[in-house]
Amino acid sequence: MKSVEIVARTREEALELALKELEVDESKVKVEVLEETSSKGFLGFLNVSKVKIRVSIKEDMAQQAVRLLREILVNMGVLAQVEMFKRPGYVMLNINGDDLGKLIGRHGQTLNALQYLVNLAMYKANENHERVIIDVAGYRKRREENLKRLALSTAERVNRKGRKEILYPMSPHERRIIHLTLQNSKEVMTYSEGEDPHRRVIISPKN
Amino acid sequence: MKELVELLAKSLVDHTDEVYVRKEESANSILLEITVHKDDIGKIIGRKGRVIKAIRTLVWASAPTDKRVLVELTE
């Protein structure tokens, strides 16, 4: 966190100097008073008050999310870099490094748990929170392509055999990808059954 | 692992200074027992246990494979 320490005669003066140095306005900083001495000199003529403050730039939600994610990775014993991208309506955190399979887990289970907990923590700590999406080396994009392929190949089989098929349990986001992929199909329809986290998509013939 | 559970729990509760994690290790298992302020119990469990499940998932992903790891919440 970027910060400066300033000594001046009054708090106002110190804060003004600090804001000038940090090049931000008052709403974006946190002020701590480190020392404050005020001694009225002889008959009030020699006023030697002194104040020392520390002014730090507040972290925004995206920076907090990056810091939390890095701490979690360190504690999981994972050596990796975290990149952050601000997008309209959400924040993207991309994790890069070697041997990150254990961070993804089966069908992305571990990655989804990580994303869920980071979102909860940000929701708790910020009034204006945005959704945080966490990816590991482009995994989510590849996963989306795999799900689309799965949807199309299963739909083809369902149509050929005239018998419905039940897919394995998926997260709401993953199920959405299946539904959207097949929404315009003339041969099959899709719906979900069961309760999260075991909710499954069913692909069935239309007739 | 203990530190990971502590970090995750602290990031989710209001009373961060009342988070304790006790570790009990035996020959083939490790027990991590979380204690939090009573008003924070729900935040650690989550709706239908979703939060504690996510914590377990992360702990298991980074746990040694030769031992069973249990993450529990005590009152």
Side-chain angles (χ1 to χ4, degrees), chain A residues 42-105:
Chain A
F42 180 63
L43 296 174
F45 283 120
L46 271 160
N47 196 340
V48 283
S49 63
K50 197 182 92 174
V51 58
K52 185 179 183 185
I53 61 170
R54 181 189 293 137
V55 179
S56 332
I57 297 182
K58 278 187 210 155
E59 280 183 313
D60 64 14
M61 194 216 74
Q63 290 164 326
Q64 280 175 33
V66 170
R67 188 158 54 90
L68 176 62
L69 180 57
R70 283 190 178 133
E71 278 180 73
I72 293 172
L73 295 178
V74 167
N75 280 298
M76 288 180 76
V78 173
L79 281 173
Q81 292 84 47
V82 177
E83 294 173 296
M84 182 256 285
F85 305 94
K86 287 187 181 173
R87 302 261 194 262
Y90 70 100
V91 172
M92 179 84 217
L93 303 182
N94 203 3
I95 306 171
N96 283 301
D98 299 327
D99 194 26
L100 298 177
K102 74 170 180 181
L103 263 191
I104 297 171

Side-chain angles (χ1 to χ4, degrees), chain A residues 67-151:
Chain A
R67 188 158 54 90
L68 176 62
L69 180 57
R70 283 190 178 133
E71 278 180 73
I72 293 172
L73 295 178
V74 167
N75 280 298
M76 288 180 76
V78 173
L79 281 173
Q81 292 84 47
V82 177
E83 294 173 296
M84 182 256 285
F85 305 94
K86 287 187 181 173
R87 302 261 194 262
Y90 70 100
V91 172
M92 179 84 217
L93 303 182
N94 203 3
I95 306 171
N96 283 301
D98 299 327
D99 194 26
L100 298 177
K102 74 170 180 181
L103 263 191
I104 297 171
R106 193 161 165 263
H107 298 320
Q109 219 176 30
T110 309
L111 180 58
N112 287 336
L114 188 62
Q115 177 173 303
Y116 176 61
L117 292 175
V118 169
N119 271 290
L120 275 186
M122 292 304 114
Y123 184 79
K124 197 209 113 207
N126 296 276
E127 274 173 37
N128 304 313
H129 78 286
E130 284 189 333
R131 201 170 143 68
V132 179
I133 296 186
I134 303 180
D135 200 357
V136 173
Y139 167 80
R140 286 196 191 280
K141 196 178 197 131
R142 287 200 307 278
R143 174 99 181 115
E144 191 176 327
E145 283 156 13
N146 286 342
L147 286 170
K148 281 181 187 164
R149 264 203 301 276
L150 173 72

Side-chain angles (χ1 to χ4, degrees), chain A residues 176-203:
Chain A
R176 202 175 123 81
I177 293 169
I178 304 284
H179 291 309
L180 288 178
T181 306
L182 299 175
Q183 68 178 353
N184 294 323
S185 163
K186 289 183 179 67
E187 290 89 23
V188 298
M189 56 186 221
T190 62
Y191 55 95
S192 300
E193 267 180 12
E195 290 287 314
D196 273 319
H198 302 294
R199 203 164 159 77
R200 297 156 173 255
V201 176
I202 295 163
I203 302 179

Side-chain angles (χ1 to χ4, degrees), chain B residues 1-2 5-6 9 19-23 32-35:
Chain B
M1 250 182 322
K2 182 172 178 277
V5 175
E6 262 166 15
V19 172
Y20 304 100
V21 179
R22 194 175 66 87
K23 183 179 174 181
L32 295 163
E33 214 173 54
I34 313 170
T35 315

